[in-house]
Amino acid sequence: MEYYAALGYRAPSATRLSTGASVQAPHGDASADALELPPLGLEDLGALRERFLRAPDEVLTRVRDGVGGPVSEGALVHALQDLEQALREPEAALQAMRQPPFQARASVSLPPDFAFPLMTREIPIDPVRTRFEPVADLRGWLLFSGRAWLHGGWSRAAFRRHDDARHASRFRYTLREPGPGRPVEVALFGGFGTGEYPARYVARQLIMRGERLEYAVHLGGVYYAGRQGEFDAHVAEPLEPLLPVTTLMTLNAGAEMRSGGTPFYRYLDERRGASRAKQVQEGSYFCLASERFQLIGVDTAYFEPGRHQEPGLLGWLESVLEEGRRRGATNILLSHDAPYRYGAPRPTGLLEDLRALVVDRALVDLWFWGASPHGALFDRGAALPFLGGSLGHAGLPVPVTAPGLSSPAPVRFLESRSRFPEWTGVRPELGNNGYGSLLLQGDGTLGLQLLDWRGNVRCTAVLAREGDGPLTYQHLQEAEPEA
């Protein structure tokens, strides 16, 4: 277990295991194995290797989808071999991790004069760390997600539905009505659940907004596999100071479902506990509604990864979208998975699932998602009658996004900077992390900013309607190049 911990394993606390959970565990079993995905052991590693030998394309596809990046066949073979040796001789593996060859990248260091206003010793910045990177941390991904790739996930918690008699809210909650001089601020961020320093600095920015930040939505992504220890360390702890003043909502994602969703639901229950009046979320989908605006979060992970086909959920979504349209509200859809992706020529299956609502009937004005790990804003296209935003870059390490790639919708802004300023010469291959801030105004307009993990404003936009027309970008300005 020490080897697992050295590579990033977060075990559930002894207190949690002894007290059980408010969430119904599979088969009524409150053991750690029932509540979340265990790490890969030697037996499962052998089974994964055998499956790779029989069906290499299938396993490679699962691994690439899981880590969110390109993994070569050779890299996977090498990682499997390394892991087998490490699991057979964990003490030797631990010792090797402490040796100079493993620390060779320590020469990558920040210049002494690197600083920014929010920088603090409480969140140390270590550019050498490669945790969660697709290839450099392939061992970690295999150890802590491998069982899900081998078995197709873990035993699932019971799904919570809006029409259950226990949920009088029907998963619909009040969004404060913005007034003159009193806009409503909503932070939107995805891929946050890593515990790494970019995510911690995003959390620091949200916390420093204090009571001005009335709502925050995590668009999903708790890594490696949505375990309880990962929720505790990567989400609950850094966002705890928000809870007394900010209504926090969280979406379900494929990573969370690797542990069956039990830690996800437990976190919802814990947020509502301790007399926290602002914490209202009961299920994995929701609608926050005022007279002028609706924020509608959907679950694109529980029933099928990246899809939304369950009839009961489609009916609920249709009803809230129609209600918003009837009163002239702006419908803002929030999901983990994306309707389309920058760099991909065609829309996703999720868009096909929702085509009747968002394309044929144009019931959605603005759609933000968290599965694409880069910041981007999109205009409507010929067959895409809504504005779009990719905000999945709060915590995961991703390669720099190259401009000029194909896109199903016109690109209005693309985060193409590196994580560190160019002048530092540090990790130029890593893309910039950040999040979005949405301002809902009393006159029905929306202000939107994309900020990076250091607090730099990367893009500012104003969205509004002209008469009864669609929501459009009235103004959009990208920040000047960083000095």
Side-chain angles (χ1 to χ4, degrees), residues 1 65 87 168 179 188 293 297 310 324-325 330 334 341 345 349 412 425:
M1 190 57 71
D65 289 346
L87 292 179
L188 302 170
F293 299 98
E310 205 280 329
R325 268 294 177 267
T330 296
L334 309 173
R341 291 183 174 89
R412 295 300 303 270

Side-chain angles (χ1 to χ4, degrees), residues 439-458:
L439 278 182
L440 310 179
Q441 304 283 358
D443 62 358
T445 62
L446 299 91
L448 177 61
Q449 283 189 333
L450 268 61
L451 302 97
D452 70 16
W453 66 283
R454 290 178 288 133
N456 299 309
V457 176
R458 296 289 297 112

Side-chain angles (χ1 to χ4, degrees), residues 108-259:
V108 179
S109 58
L110 288 168
D113 55 345
F114 174 79
F116 53 96
L118 292 173
M119 192 170 174
T120 173
R121 292 182 179 179
E122 295 177 1
I123 309 175
I125 298 171
D126 181 4
V128 178
R129 286 176 65 85
T130 57
R131 187 163 293 168
F132 301 109
E133 292 183 24
V135 177
D137 190 29
L138 188 53
R139 290 184 304 174
W141 283 107
L142 287 170
L143 275 180
F144 308 130
S145 295
R147 279 206 185 196
W149 300 335
L150 181 62
H151 300 295
W154 205 240
S155 300
R156 299 185 179 192
F159 188 73
R160 299 183 184 179
R161 294 184 177 273
H162 65 281
D163 52 5
D164 190 304
R166 292 172 294 181
H167 304 304
S169 68
R170 300 297 185 258
F171 296 170
R172 302 188 189 194
Y173 312 103
T174 299
L175 178 72
R176 182 179 70 78
E177 195 71 44
R182 288 195 67 212
V184 173
E185 183 176 5
V186 183
L188 302 170
F189 54 107
F192 171 82
T194 63
E196 297 298 291
Y197 61 86
R200 296 274 174 169
Y201 275 103
V202 167
R204 179 170 169 79
Q205 292 179 54
L206 304 186
I207 292 163
M208 291 181 70
R209 278 174 161 75
E211 294 183 354
R212 292 174 298 166
L213 181 61
E214 295 184 59
Y215 302 89
V217 182
H218 180 219
L219 301 171
V222 180
Y223 305 100
Y224 296 93
R227 293 182 176 84
Q228 187 60 56
E230 292 164 357
F231 264 97
D232 291 346
H234 301 167
V235 181
E237 185 269 325
L239 296 180
E240 174 68 24
L242 282 180
L243 303 187
V245 296
T246 302
T247 296
L248 175 63
M249 312 296 280
T250 48
L251 293 180
N252 193 17
E256 284 85 318
M257 289 309 300
R258 290 173 197 156
S259 285

